[in-house]
Amino acid sequence: DELRAAGEVHHRVVALPDAGWLRQMEGVRVLDVNGPQALVAISAPATPAAVTAEAVRRGEVVEFTRVEPTLSEIFREVTR
C-alpha cells in the first residue's frame, strides 16, 4: 500500500463524444487516449474535480475512475 500511495495517480476518463480535449488541459498528462476513453495523470493546477467539470461541460461523462497500479507495474517502476 505504501508503494502504491507513493506513485503517480492515474485516472480513467470516458467522456462522450471524445476525450481528445484532455491533451489541451493544463495539469493533465495524457498517457493514452482512444476516442472517448483516456488514461491520464492529473497534477496542479488541475484537479480531478476540474477535469470532471470540464468533461461534463463538453458532453456526457460515462466514467471517471482512479486507477490503482498493479503489483507488476509497481515492481517495474521500483526496479528501474
Side-chain angles (χ1 to χ4, degrees):
D1 287 338
E2 288 178 32
L3 289 175
R4 280 191 172 133
E8 185 176 59
V9 176
H10 296 163
H11 289 84
R12 180 181 359 274
V13 180
V14 181
L16 300 176
D18 185 68
W21 58 269
L22 285 161
R23 292 184 182 109
Q24 300 162 4
M25 193 166 183
E26 187 178 358
V28 175
R29 186 166 56 91
V30 176
L31 306 170
D32 186 35
V33 67
N34 184 10
Q37 300 179 41
L39 182 64
V40 299
I42 301 171
S43 60
T47 63
V51 173
T52 303
E54 182 63 17
V56 168
R57 190 184 76 72
R58 290 175 174 265
E60 180 183 353
V61 178
V62 177
E63 179 181 356
F64 186 89
T65 308
R66 182 180 172 133
V67 178
E68 298 291 337
T70 65
L71 290 176
S72 61
E73 290 170 334
I74 293 170
F75 178 78
R76 273 184 256 137
E77 186 66 29
V78 170
T79 58
R80 279 187 184 180

